[in-house]
Amino acid sequence: MTEGAEIHQTLQSNRTDAARTSPLRAVETDSGPAETASCESEEPDHQEEESSTFPEVQHHSSAGPEDSGHVAPEGGWGWVVVAATVLVLALTLAFPSCIGIFYTDLQNDFQASNTETSWVPAIMMAVLHAGGPLCSVLVERYGCRATIIIGGILSGLGMAASSFAQTMVELYITAGIITGMGFSLSFQPSITMMGHYFVRRRAFANALSSTGTALGLSTLPLLANYLLSSFGWRGSFLVLGGVLLNCCVCGAVMRPLGGKPKTEARTGRTDNHHLKTNCLSVHQEREGLKGRLRATLSTVMPFLRRHMAFDLLCSNPYFCAYALGVSWMMLGFVVPLVYLVPYATAYGMEQDRAALLMAILGLINIIVRPATALVFGLPRFRGSHCFAYLFATAVLINGLSNCICGIGTSFSVLLAYVIVFGFSMSLVGSLLFTVLMDTVEMSRFPSALGLISIMESIMLLLGPPLAGILVDATRQYAYVFFACSITGSTAGLFIMLSFYWLDRKKDREVKSSSTHKDTNTLKPSIKMTIDCDYSPVPLHSKNDRDRETDV
């Protein structure tokens, strides 16, 4: 028994030593596969880390309330969110229009041309829309509420700093880049948050919130004109910077639907994250430049898909047509808002009456947008697919209305232009986000909005300067409005025809698939009938009488 026990103990110790030394030998002889396996094994942990570290993604950016397990309230605190969104849109989207009030004073103070002065609202509007990807990252990291507050602080500081500008370049940086970025961080999260609070009444909520732009168009020009006459453009910019800080108050009431994120997982898996980073660095050193490029692309492509939705341009033809049409529309959509006051004053109209035209434009929006909200909120419009065609028709009318402004310069002619332009503009603003939400899933809406914003920003950056070049070359403002008429009408026709062609193509595919399915269901029944008619009588099932006959 003693010898057997010693032999058994010796075998166990040998097995233990072998088990201890074999992994070391495996690592020494073939360290590459071991590191690869370890890196692959850490991949699920890293994915779990991402999903547990950013739980707010399901609320604020990548999923709607129905996707994140939260039911949309369809009211309640959602109406407070709508009211806050109205004020945010009034202070952000409508703000570049009041720059036209200061247009002549900026030209005289800095001795600048139309092209140089037009860069101020152009950069502001371009950065407002181009900040979509950065806004999406901040929303994913900190949530909509904190992002809106950051945007309010940036816009207020940027506008206040622009009052001390001594050159046009300083004005580009302060009023254009800093203020525009603050507008972007305030405007886009408010639209996203409202989309989480409303699903069934989404069209009504979007149309109602778009009245904020109308509210800003009707009040900000009058306020800017009063401030200009009282304090000059520098004092006006300082006061408007304080007004823009109200975006922080609006962001404070943007209460998320879910609970607070759990941050324990962020510190619990730090070692796994560092280990995976080391593994990636080892692979990059071994594979060289090709490996580094591959690793970079593997991180960039998911980022672009999450925050800019480039994949939707290829996978979703409706979104592609809508994005291209809206981007082309933006080339001349906001130019009349910048050049209407200089156009009127250049032909002898008083500054107060020119500012009154902008106020009337805003009042028309205030009247029309709530009316469209009530109409689009009716049960017959819920779940309707006609919003895209209504939007395209409104864009077409808006583009053609610019021809009225080129006919004459009297107050009555410009008033008729403002009425038609304001009515069509109200429909465009009411349906802009509704059509986008119907075109893509709500889980992809923030990234789709970021991509469209980038595309719009390019056109918004080019529109006013191109108009300034046209004015400097021809000395006629009328050509600017004719050019805007061409871009707007062609954009409306493109969206309408594209959606019509895609709908017809989809209907043909549905009909062909249904007919193919019907033929497949008929084939087994025909085969069964033939088999039943011509099935032979089995010989082995003879009865007793047949057997006697055979005998």
Side-chain angles (χ1 to χ4, degrees):
M1 293 296 292
T2 305
E3 294 178 357
E6 291 178 356
I7 294 173
H8 181 71
Q9 185 177 1
T10 304
L11 292 175
Q12 287 294 111
S13 62
N14 292 335
R15 290 174 184 175
T16 304
D17 296 336
R20 291 176 179 174
T21 57
S22 58
L24 297 176
R25 292 175 181 174
V27 172
E28 292 174 357
T29 55
D30 192 9
S31 59
E35 291 172 352
T36 305
S38 63
C39 294
E40 291 176 354
S41 64
E42 293 296 333
E43 183 69 23
D45 294 337
H46 183 63
Q47 293 176 357
E48 292 176 4
E49 177 190 355
E50 291 179 351
S51 62
S52 60
T53 304
F54 305 110
E56 277 193 7
V57 177
Q58 297 179 353
H59 281 310
H60 303 293
S61 63
S62 65
E66 61 273 7
D67 297 333
S68 60
H70 298 283
V71 180
E74 302 291 346
W77 192 260
W79 298 120
V80 179
V81 174
V82 171
T85 304
V86 168
L87 187 55
V88 169
L89 295 185
L91 295 176
T92 56
L93 290 184
F95 191 87
S97 63
C98 74
I99 299 297
I101 303 296
F102 309 101
Y103 196 89
T104 305
D105 291 86
L106 293 177
Q107 274 187 306
N108 297 332
D109 197 354
F110 292 103
Q111 297 297 316
S113 63
N114 286 283
T115 305
E116 294 173 343
T117 309
S118 63
W119 278 108
V120 178
I123 294 174
M124 182 183 293
M125 289 183 291
V127 176
L128 190 156
H129 291 80
L134 176 61
C135 181
S136 179
V137 172
L138 292 178
V139 167
E140 180 179 329
R141 181 64 177 85
Y142 300 106
C144 289
R145 174 186 286 177
T147 305
I148 295 173
I149 294 175
I150 294 172
I153 295 173
L154 272 180
S155 59
L157 292 178
M159 205 63 198
S162 64
S163 63
F164 302 99
Q166 300 298 323
T167 61
M168 291 298 295
V169 176
E170 295 176 1
L171 205 61
Y172 296 157
I173 297 174
T174 54
I177 297 176
I178 299 177
T179 305
M181 182 57 65
F183 288 163
S184 177
L185 299 183
S186 298
F187 144 68
Q188 296 188 22
S190 62
I191 298 295
T192 304
M193 178 64 77
M194 189 184 60
H196 292 312
Y197 270 86
F198 294 92
V199 175
R200 184 171 52 88
R201 298 178 178 177
R202 184 172 290 165
F204 174 75
N206 280 325
L208 188 61
S209 65
S210 66
T211 58
T213 306
L215 181 64
L217 288 174
S218 60
T219 57
L220 288 178
L222 297 178
L223 176 62
N225 188 48
Y226 171 76
L227 294 175
L228 180 63
S229 60
S230 301
F231 306 104
W233 73 267
R234 294 186 183 273
S236 301
F237 280 15
L238 186 62
V239 174
L240 290 175
V243 173
L244 292 176
L245 292 176
N246 286 285
C247 291
C248 301
V249 182
C250 298
V253 302
M254 296 285 184
R255 187 173 62 193
L257 287 175
K260 295 182 179 180
K262 298 179 180 179
T263 57
E264 294 84 11
R266 189 175 304 165
T267 57
R269 299 185 181 180
T270 307
D271 296 336
N272 293 334
H273 179 70
H274 287 302
L275 181 59
K276 180 174 178 58
T277 304
N278 294 333
C279 293
L280 289 175
S281 62
V282 171
H283 283 297
Q284 292 174 6
E285 290 177 359
R286 289 187 173 184
E287 296 181 7
L289 179 60
K290 185 178 180 181
R292 287 194 294 270
L293 291 176
R294 188 181 302 169
T296 303
L297 290 176
S298 64
T299 56
V300 169
M301 294 308 294
F303 176 84
L304 293 178
R305 185 182 185 277
R306 177 182 295 179
H307 301 292
M308 296 187 67
F310 277 108
D311 59 308
L312 291 179
L313 293 175
C314 300
S315 61
N316 192 337
Y318 286 94
F319 173 75
C320 181
Y322 183 71
L324 293 177
V326 171
S327 301
W328 179 248
M329 175 196 73
M330 285 297 174
L331 182 63
F333 185 70
V334 299
V335 171
L337 301 178
V338 177
Y339 282 92
L340 180 59
V341 174
Y343 174 56
T345 55
Y347 289 95
M349 186 177 294
E350 297 179 357
Q351 182 80 15
D352 295 337
R353 301 194 74 184
L356 182 61
L357 288 174
M358 295 296 296
I360 293 174
L361 177 63
L363 289 175
I364 294 172
N365 279 264
I366 289 178
I367 296 172
V368 175
R369 295 199 185 204
T372 56
L374 293 175
V375 172
F376 295 153
L378 294 176
R380 63 178 301 177
F381 283 100
R382 293 174 185 172
S384 176
H385 298 285
C386 65
F387 289 133
Y389 297 101
L390 292 175
F391 175 79
T393 304
V395 173
L396 177 62
I397 296 174
N398 183 268
L400 295 176
S401 66
N402 291 302
C403 295
I404 302 175
C405 194
I407 295 175
T409 58
S410 63
F411 184 81
S412 58
V413 174
L414 295 181
L415 180 61
Y417 163 71
V418 163
I419 292 174
V420 180
F421 184 86
F423 180 80
S424 58
M425 180 184 179
S426 301
L427 293 178
V428 171
S430 300
L431 295 173
L432 181 63
F433 302 113
T434 302
V435 177
L436 180 59
M437 290 179 182
D438 291 341
T439 305
V440 300
E441 299 177 356
M442 191 59 201
S443 59
R444 303 300 307 277
F445 174 75
S447 57
L449 180 60
L451 177 58
I452 286 185
S453 299
I454 288 289
M455 298 172 67
E456 289 176 352
S457 66
I458 298 174
M459 296 301 177
L460 290 172
L461 183 64
L462 296 177
L466 288 177
I469 294 174
L470 189 60
V471 172
D472 291 335
T474 61
R475 300 296 177 185
Q476 295 289 331
Y477 284 95
Y479 293 112
V480 173
F481 293 92
F482 288 138
C484 294
S485 178
I486 294 174
T487 57
S489 57
T490 53
L493 289 174
F494 174 77
I495 296 175
M496 186 183 301
L497 296 177
S498 299
F499 272 73
Y500 178 75
W501 181 77
L502 290 173
D503 286 341
R504 292 292 300 273
K505 181 180 178 181
K506 186 177 180 180
D507 292 339
R508 287 195 299 266
E509 291 177 355
V510 170
K511 289 180 181 179
S512 62
S513 62
S514 61
T515 54
H516 182 69
K517 186 183 296 183
D518 293 338
T519 55
N520 289 336
T521 54
L522 288 175
K523 285 181 180 180
S525 60
I526 296 173
K527 185 177 181 180
M528 185 182 299
T529 305
I530 295 173
D531 292 341
C532 293
D533 291 340
Y534 295 95
S535 60
V537 178
L539 297 177
H540 65 274
S541 61
K542 294 181 179 182
N543 52 22
D544 296 338
R545 184 177 297 178
D546 294 334
R547 290 175 182 174
E548 291 177 358
T549 305
D550 293 337
V551 173

